[in-house]
């Protein structure tokens, strides 16, 4: 069965709640494409108004982060149960900005992935190499390491339903997109890694996005690659262009 493409916006730390509601209304007529899954991953404080604002549309809401503990004394954190209760379906885990600026390591991310799945959320698990790693020729080794570490104790049945986002760090927010060949090569490598860790059916089912300076001009070519099942879109998800990406 063909994999349904999934195109997710990652709003990062942008949009106040009132701006968020306006953006949802502006994008609403532009992002109608039932052939793909459309997700807005929004800042925590925007979740409640955005869930309300997308009601009746084809858009689902994701969070940009969560904590793995059930509840308790973790000041400032947000639990999976809170996200689910608010109507969230997806959660980005392990974005390179979380890994770099907030020192989230693979052991922590593995706990988050497992908690998200156990709570009924779909993780969008991010991986990707730095420019240095690419130049050293260790891209695929690094990504295999990330995937294997982040998916410890996650079963094949669970992996089938998650989303993996390949985001080369050097392409994020830089306007420097990976070439279609580079993006396809790594997404294919991730699928092979999943086949090795689990089995071919699991690898064939898992959806793998490309992220890193996706825009209205390059989306169609990227999404036409056999192993690229959509995109995780930062900057271009905050404007009307996102409609062009969704209806590529
Ligand atoms: P960008 O961000 O599209 O602005 O490069 C992508 C991301 O970080 O998810």
């Amino acid at each position: 069965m063909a994999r349904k493409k999934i195109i997710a916006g990652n709003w990062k730390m942008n949009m106040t709640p009132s701006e968020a509601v306006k953006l949802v209304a502006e994008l609403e007529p532009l992002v109608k494409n039932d052939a793909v899954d459309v997700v807005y991953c929004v800042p925590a404080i925007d979740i409640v108004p955005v869930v309300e604002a997308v009601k009746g549309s084809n858009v689902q809401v994701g969070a940009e982060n969560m904590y793995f503990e059930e509840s308790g004394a973790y000041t400032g954190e947000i639990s999976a149960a809170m996200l689910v209760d608010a109507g969230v379906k997806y959660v980005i885990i392990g974005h390179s900005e979380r890994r770099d600026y907030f020192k989230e390591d693979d052991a922590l991310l593995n706990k988050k992935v497992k908690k998200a799945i156990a709570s009924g959320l779909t993780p969008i698990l991010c991986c990707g190499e730095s420019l240095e790693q690419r130049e050293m020729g260790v891209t695929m080794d690094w990504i295999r390491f990330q995937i294997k570490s982040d998916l410890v104790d996650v079963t094949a049945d669970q992996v089938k339903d998650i989303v993996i986002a390949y985001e080369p760090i050097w392409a994020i927010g830089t306007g420097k997109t990976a070439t279609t060949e580079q993006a396809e090569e790594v997404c294919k490598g991730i699928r092979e890694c999943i086949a090795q860790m689990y089995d071919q059916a699991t690898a064939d089912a898992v959806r793998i996005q490309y992220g890193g300076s996706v825009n209205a001009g390059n989306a169609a070519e990227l999404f036409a690659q056999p192993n690229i099942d959509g995109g995780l879109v930062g900057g271009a998800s905050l404007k009307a262009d996102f409609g062009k990406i969704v209806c590529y």
Side-chain angles (χ1 to χ4, degrees):
M1 217 181 78
R3 294 180 294 271
K4 192 175 185 187
K5 298 242 189 289
I6 173 164
I7 299 170
N10 173 12
W11 289 10
K12 310 196 179 186
M13 197 174 76
N14 295 294
M15 299 288 138
T16 64
S18 52
E19 288 167 347
V21 169
K22 274 190 212 142
L23 180 63
V24 170
E26 184 194 331
L27 291 179
E28 208 236 17
L30 309 175
V31 296
K32 286 200 171 102
N33 179 3
D34 290 332
V36 305
D37 287 331
V38 183
V39 184
Y40 297 163
C41 298
V42 306
I45 198 165
D46 296 343
I47 287 171
V48 170
V50 169
V51 166
E52 188 58 36
V54 300
K55 270 197 184 133
S57 80
N58 59 321
V59 176
Q60 293 196 306
V61 178
E64 297 177 13
N65 186 26
M66 56 163 261
Y67 198 51
F68 67 85
E69 291 286 2
E70 183 58 34
S71 64
Y74 304 101
T75 303
E77 292 298 317
I78 294 193
S79 72
M82 292 170 186
L83 297 178
V84 170
D85 187 66
V88 167
K89 303 290 182 209
Y90 294 86
V91 57
I92 298 176
I93 292 178
H95 190 281
S96 63
E97 288 149 18
R98 301 282 336 157
R99 293 177 187 260
D100 287 355
Y101 306 153
F102 303 98
K103 305 289 168 244
E104 295 195 1
D105 63 19
D106 291 301
L108 172 71
L109 298 174
N110 176 240
K111 288 182 187 163
K112 292 190 179 196
V113 167
K114 287 188 288 193
K115 186 64 183 182
I117 293 170
S119 308
L121 293 165
T122 300
I124 299 178
L125 173 64
C126 300
C127 59
E129 81 287 4
S130 65
L131 187 57
E132 259 175 312
Q133 288 170 318
R134 177 157 284 270
E135 284 169 352
M136 275 164 30
V138 298
T139 296
M140 218 41 243
D141 291 333
W142 174 247
I143 285 167
R144 271 192 290 266
F145 172 79
Q146 288 186 315
I147 297 287
K148 285 182 184 166
S149 316
D150 299 344
L151 294 181
V152 169
D153 295 332
V154 180
T155 68
D157 265 354
Q158 294 170 331
V159 168
K160 271 189 188 130
D161 293 325
I162 74 166
V163 177
I164 297 174
Y166 166 55
E167 298 204 307
I169 297 169
W170 48 271
I172 295 176
T174 56
K176 213 177 151 195
T177 324
T179 64
T180 308
E181 293 71 31
Q182 286 171 327
E184 166 63 13
E185 185 186 20
V186 177
C187 290
K188 183 166 180 265
I190 293 171
R191 204 174 299 287
E192 285 164 1
C193 176
I194 297 291
Q196 227 175 50
M197 291 169 67
Y198 298 94
D199 52 68
Q200 196 56 45
T202 304
D204 288 341
V206 69
R207 293 189 289 180
I208 304 175
Q209 298 174 313
Y210 167 77
S213 300
V214 173
N215 60 44
N218 59 25
E221 191 179 316
L222 285 162
F223 301 167
Q225 302 309 304
N227 287 289
I228 301 181
D229 306 314
L232 183 57
V233 184
S237 70
L238 298 169
K239 42 189 187 180
D241 265 17
F242 192 61
K244 294 191 189 131
I245 296 173
V246 166
C247 303
Y248 65 96

